[in-house]
């Protein structure tokens, strides 16, 4: 179960939509135009009853038979003109508000996504990817519905309702007083039901997000699910989640249905009561038939406006919950912040110097277990240092702190004499290249995947990097060569091929500091031999930190650092460590015991 990045309030209110103001502000001109067309359309609607009154009183009742035909033509022409104006203004309003809805939603989605991808890994320790995807899709769609439709309808009906109320006050205060009483009976229950709808709307969106989180997790691990024949179990788990979302949505829909039923009944009752009062006034001779028609139409406009506003209010409550969830993502602040005045990293020729002093670090999700404790390491420019040790020793954590995915609780991490907290994140990470254990392949071509390391690189430079990583041969054999689409997460490639693409990406970046996290773990013996040669060439003239997996890598390192429980317990060359008969020698002996005289020894990485 995922949790939100910030504490959730008990319920959203329409006031929560104020968070959209920064996204609406750039389009003030279009908003003014939309409001202008909306007011004009509302005014055209309000003119219709007056035109109808004139038609009845002057075209049907008062005129002589000869003149009546001419009057009818004139009045019907005027009515057509009003209708045409209503159609024109309504079309212009629809276009403007729909454009605003689409544009604001796109801007909001872009802003949320751009903000989320800048968050540190700590953010994703507590927020599932599916939760974020749900907010980017479902919640933004709700916001789009309100900005591009419901809000405009609400404002339009508010203008018409106020206008109709004003005309009723001017033409028939008696009927207006009764209608106001009915409106109170309609509005009060809507406000009472609104609180319940608001809570259920937020709960419904949370349940949908839970389903999205489950789907995202399982779809990214389909081979594992199928290999353990857990398809039915995962389908059942997803079904339970969607059923929970359905149950919540059903409750919300039931409450809104009751509200709609009450509003329609009250609206119909108000219409009949106004019509009854009007017919009695005509019979008494107090008003004309045209006046009655005008009054009835204004009552219809007023009460229907209230009915629409009640419906829009429910949409606003749902959108308020969606807006609130999106704002939670936008206000989430990464604990890894850019320095106010970043220090420039000095130029380097032979690789970067790495200095780790007195580091202490706990992962936020594991506050009681130290990942690093009193950790000190100094790596000279151009030096290759291997980090070895059992699982959980803290080797990968060293990489995480160097890349400043997290900040150490105590101590310093320096690259070329500059504390990483004082350097711009882009400058720091541009200086570091990493080949992870699990190669990341994007849904793009082989060319674009390698060029990800340096987007401005030419095709020839990309091909040269692929050749250095021994990836050129299998890429050229693909149906489209370097333009071949590799599939989502590289499903069209083998594990070793994906790893070589990742290595080519790092070689193309050509950084002064290279981090290899078991870079040959997915390769067979022949591929490992070729890639190892490529890595050795890539490691030349730069500083390299290697999380060791194969003895071949360890043997060629300038220094081997042995880690256990977040501390350095020994360091030296391969021969020196074997001679000391410590942890390193025991790990090597265990591996030799598994593989006999095999030339590689596996040292599991954390």
């Amino acid at each position: 179960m995922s949790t939100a990045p910030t504490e959730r309030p008990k319920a959203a209110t329409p006031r929560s939509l104020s968070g959209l103001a920064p996204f609406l502000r750039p389009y003030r001109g279009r908003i003014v135009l939309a409001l202008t067309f909306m007011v004009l359309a509302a005014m055209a609607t309000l003119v219709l009853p007056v035109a109808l009154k004139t038609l009845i009183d002057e075209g049907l009742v008062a005129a002589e038979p000869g003149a009546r035909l001419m009057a009818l033509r004139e009045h019907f022409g005027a009515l057509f003109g009003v209708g045409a104006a209503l159609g024109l203004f309504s079309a212009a309003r629809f276009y403007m508000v729909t454009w605003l809805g689409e544009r604001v939603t796109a801007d909001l989605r872009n802003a949320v996504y751009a903000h989320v991808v800048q968050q540190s890994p700590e953010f994703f320790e507590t927020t599932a990817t599916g939760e974020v995807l749900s907010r980017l899709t479902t919640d933004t769609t709700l916001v789009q519905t309100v900005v591009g439709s419901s809000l405009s309808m609400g404002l339009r009906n508010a203008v018409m309702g106020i206008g109709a109320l004003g005309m009723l006050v001017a033409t028939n205060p008696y009927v207006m007083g009764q209608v106001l009483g009915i409106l109170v009976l309609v509005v009060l229950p809507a406000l009472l039901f609104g609180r319940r709808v608001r809570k259920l709307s937020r709960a419904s969106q949370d349940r949908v997000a839970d389903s999205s989180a489950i789907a995202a997790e399982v779809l990214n691990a389909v081979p594992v699910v199928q290999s353990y024949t857990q398809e039915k179990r995962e389908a059942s788990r997803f079904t339970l989640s969607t059923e929970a979302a359905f149950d919540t949505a059903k409750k919300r829909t039931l409450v809104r249905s009751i509200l709609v039923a009450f509003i329609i009944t009250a609206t119909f009752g108000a219409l009949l009561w106004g019509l009854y009062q009007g017919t009695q006034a005509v019979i008494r001779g107090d008003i004309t038939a045209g006046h009655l028609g005008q009054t009835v139409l204004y009552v219809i406009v007023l009460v229907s406006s209230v009915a629409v506003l009640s419906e829009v209010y429910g949409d606003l409550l749902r959108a308020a919950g969606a807006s609130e969830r999106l704002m939670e993502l936008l206000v989430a602040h990464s604990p890894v912040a850019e320095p106010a005045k970043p220090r420039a990293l000095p130029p380097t020729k032979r690789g970067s110097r790495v200095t780790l002093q007195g580091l202490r670090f706990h992962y936020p999700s594991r506050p009681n277990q130290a990942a690093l404790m009193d950790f000190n390491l100094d790596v000279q420019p151009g030096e290759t240092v291997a980090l070895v040790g059992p699982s959980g020793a803290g080797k990968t954590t060293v990489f995480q702190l160097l890349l400043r995915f997290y900040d150490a609780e105590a101590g310093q991490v320096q690259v070329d004499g500059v504390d990483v907290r004082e350097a711009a994140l882009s400058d720091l990470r541009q200086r570091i290249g990493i080949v992870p254990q699990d190669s990341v392949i994007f849904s793009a071509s082989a060319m674009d995947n390698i060029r990800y390391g340096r987007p401005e690189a030419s095709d020839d430079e990309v091909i040269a990097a692929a050749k250095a990583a021994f990836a050129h041969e299998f890429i050229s054999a693909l149906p489209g060569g370097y333009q071949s689409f590799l599939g989502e997460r590289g499903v069209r490639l083998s594990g070793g091929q994906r790893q070589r693409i990742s290595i080519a990406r790092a070689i193309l970046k050509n950084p002064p500091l290279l981090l290899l996290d078991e870079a040959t773990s997915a390769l067979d013996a022949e591929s490992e031999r070729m890639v190892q040669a490529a890595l050795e060439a890539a490691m030349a003239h730069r500083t390299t930190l290697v999380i060791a997996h194969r003895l071949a890598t360890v043997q060629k390192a300038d220094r081997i650092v042995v880690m256990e429980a977040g501390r350095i317990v020994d360091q030296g060359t391969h021969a020196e460590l074997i001679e000391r008969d410590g942890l390193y020698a025991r790990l090597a002996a265990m591996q030799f015991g598994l593989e006999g005289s095999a030339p590689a020894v596996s040292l599991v990485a954390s």
Side-chain angles (χ1 to χ4, degrees):
M1 179 71 69
S2 63
T3 59
T6 57
E7 184 179 354
R8 292 174 177 170
K10 294 182 180 179
T13 66
R15 197 175 294 112
S16 301
L17 292 171
S18 61
L20 299 177
F23 298 94
L24 292 168
R25 196 172 294 122
Y27 310 108
R28 290 187 294 267
R30 288 183 176 268
I31 292 174
V32 170
L33 282 176
L35 290 174
T36 300
F37 289 130
M38 181 197 69
V39 171
L40 290 174
M43 291 176 63
T45 303
L46 292 173
V47 169
L48 280 174
V50 177
L52 180 63
K53 174 182 181 297
T54 306
L55 172 66
I56 294 174
D57 289 342
E58 298 181 10
L60 293 177
V61 178
E64 293 296 328
R68 185 179 302 166
L69 180 61
M70 296 300 296
L72 283 174
R73 289 177 180 176
E74 292 178 2
H75 291 304
F76 273 111
L79 278 172
F80 177 78
V82 173
L86 176 60
L88 179 63
F89 295 143
S90 297
R93 175 195 62 84
F94 174 79
Y95 174 78
M96 295 303 298
V97 298
T98 302
W99 186 95
L100 281 169
E102 296 286 352
R103 181 69 267 169
V104 168
T105 302
D107 291 348
L108 179 61
R109 189 177 288 125
N110 292 340
V112 171
Y113 182 79
H115 186 72
V116 167
V117 296
Q118 294 177 9
Q119 299 302 302
S120 70
E122 180 179 345
F123 174 86
F124 295 98
E125 288 187 24
T126 56
T127 304
T129 303
E131 170 88 6
V132 176
L133 293 177
S134 173
R135 299 190 189 197
L136 283 172
T137 53
T138 306
D139 291 350
T140 52
T141 300
L142 287 174
V143 172
Q144 177 182 340
T145 300
V146 167
V147 176
S149 176
S150 297
L151 191 58
S152 171
M153 288 178 55
L155 291 173
R156 177 173 175 268
N157 280 276
V159 172
M160 290 196 305
I162 294 172
L165 184 61
M167 293 300 294
L168 284 172
V169 171
T171 59
N172 201 329
Y174 177 72
V175 174
M176 187 276 296
Q178 298 183 49
V179 170
L180 278 180
I182 296 175
L183 286 179
V184 171
L185 296 178
V186 175
V187 171
L188 286 179
L191 294 176
L192 294 175
F193 274 96
R195 184 177 181 84
R196 178 64 175 164
V197 172
R198 186 167 65 241
K199 292 180 179 179
L200 290 173
S201 295
R202 178 60 190 258
S204 178
Q205 288 154 224
D206 288 342
R207 299 293 77 74
V208 170
D210 293 340
S211 299
S212 298
I214 292 174
E217 179 183 35
V218 172
L219 291 178
N220 283 327
V222 166
V224 176
V225 172
Q226 294 178 348
S227 66
Y228 282 91
T229 64
Q230 294 296 312
E231 297 94 332
K232 291 184 178 179
R233 177 178 177 273
E234 293 299 342
S236 298
R237 192 160 69 101
F238 185 78
T239 299
L240 289 175
S241 179
T242 54
E243 286 300 316
F246 171 74
D247 289 341
T248 307
K250 183 173 63 176
K251 294 176 183 176
R252 171 179 53 80
T253 305
L254 178 61
V255 174
R256 287 193 65 180
S257 298
I258 294 173
L259 180 60
V260 169
F262 177 82
I263 290 173
I264 292 176
T265 303
T267 302
F268 192 69
L271 172 62
L272 289 179
W273 181 252
L275 182 61
Y276 173 76
Q277 292 293 328
T279 53
Q280 295 302 309
V282 172
I283 292 173
R284 293 193 303 269
D286 296 337
I287 60 173
T288 64
H291 192 167
L292 172 62
Q294 174 183 287
T295 300
V296 170
L297 283 180
Y298 278 132
V299 170
I300 293 174
V301 170
L302 177 59
V303 180
S304 62
S305 296
V306 173
V308 172
L309 286 172
S310 300
E311 186 71 17
V312 168
Y313 183 66
D315 291 337
L316 288 177
L317 292 175
R318 292 193 68 197
S323 176
E324 184 179 78
R325 283 160 49 91
L326 290 166
M327 292 306 117
E328 286 175 358
L329 291 180
L330 280 176
V331 300
H333 293 293
S334 173
V336 177
E338 288 276 6
K341 295 182 178 180
R343 288 179 57 188
L345 292 170
T348 179
K349 293 182 179 180
R350 292 190 61 254
S352 294
R353 179 178 180 179
V354 175
T355 305
L356 310 175
Q357 296 178 341
L359 293 185
R360 185 179 75 249
F361 177 72
H362 297 71
Y363 283 101
S365 58
R366 304 191 296 273
N368 297 323
Q369 179 182 352
L372 291 177
M373 182 63 67
D374 193 26
F375 187 88
N376 295 277
L377 180 64
D378 190 13
V379 182
Q380 296 300 314
E383 187 179 11
T384 297
V385 174
L387 304 179
V388 303
S391 177
K395 301 182 295 297
T396 300
T397 303
V398 173
F399 283 14
Q400 300 267 24
L401 295 181
L402 273 172
L403 286 161
R404 209 184 165 212
F405 290 156
Y406 299 89
D407 280 334
E409 299 156 14
Q412 278 192 330
V413 179
Q414 294 183 353
V415 174
D416 294 317
V418 177
D419 192 312
V420 294
R421 286 171 290 196
E422 299 177 3
L425 287 173
S426 58
D427 291 346
L428 171 67
R429 292 169 183 171
Q430 193 64 35
R431 185 158 291 203
I432 302 174
I434 183 168
V435 180
Q437 179 180 2
D438 299 320
S439 300
V440 176
I441 302 298
F442 298 97
S443 299
S445 66
M447 180 73 72
D448 289 338
N449 264 282
I450 297 174
R451 187 178 274 128
Y452 201 82
R454 186 154 58 90
E456 72 279 6
S458 66
D459 290 355
D460 290 340
E461 290 174 316
V462 171
I463 294 173
K467 289 179 178 178
F470 293 88
H472 177 71
E473 184 176 348
F474 79 80
I475 292 176
S476 299
L478 295 173
Y482 278 84
Q483 299 304 323
S484 297
F485 178 68
L486 302 184
E488 185 178 5
R489 294 179 289 111
V491 294
R492 299 183 178 183
L493 302 178
S494 68
Q497 290 173 335
R498 289 196 295 269
Q499 195 75 326
R500 277 180 273 173
I501 291 283
S502 181
I503 293 170
R505 184 186 299 157
I507 291 174
L508 180 65
K509 186 177 182 180
N510 193 28
L513 175 57
L514 186 62
L515 307 180
L516 305 178
D517 189 352
E518 298 193 33
T520 61
S521 62
L523 305 180
D524 55 41
E526 179 62 22
S527 296
E528 181 190 0
R529 183 185 62 79
M530 293 187 297
V531 173
Q532 190 61 51
L535 287 174
E536 289 175 9
M539 289 187 288
H541 310 298
R542 62 172 50 88
T543 304
T544 306
L545 288 177
V546 184
I547 291 180
H549 180 72
R550 305 281 184 185
L551 185 56
T553 304
V554 174
Q555 285 177 320
K556 293 180 182 296
D558 298 319
R559 184 164 32 127
I560 300 170
V561 175
V562 185
M563 298 177 60
E564 184 177 24
R567 301 174 185 270
I568 295 177
V569 295
D570 205 352
Q571 56 183 307
T573 64
H574 170 74
E576 291 171 346
L577 293 172
I578 290 293
E579 186 177 345
R580 290 174 192 161
D581 197 23
L583 175 60
Y584 177 83
R586 293 197 300 273
L587 290 172
M590 289 172 58
Q591 190 64 28
F592 277 123
L594 290 172
E595 296 186 358
S597 58
V601 60
S602 177
L603 301 176
V604 183
S606 60

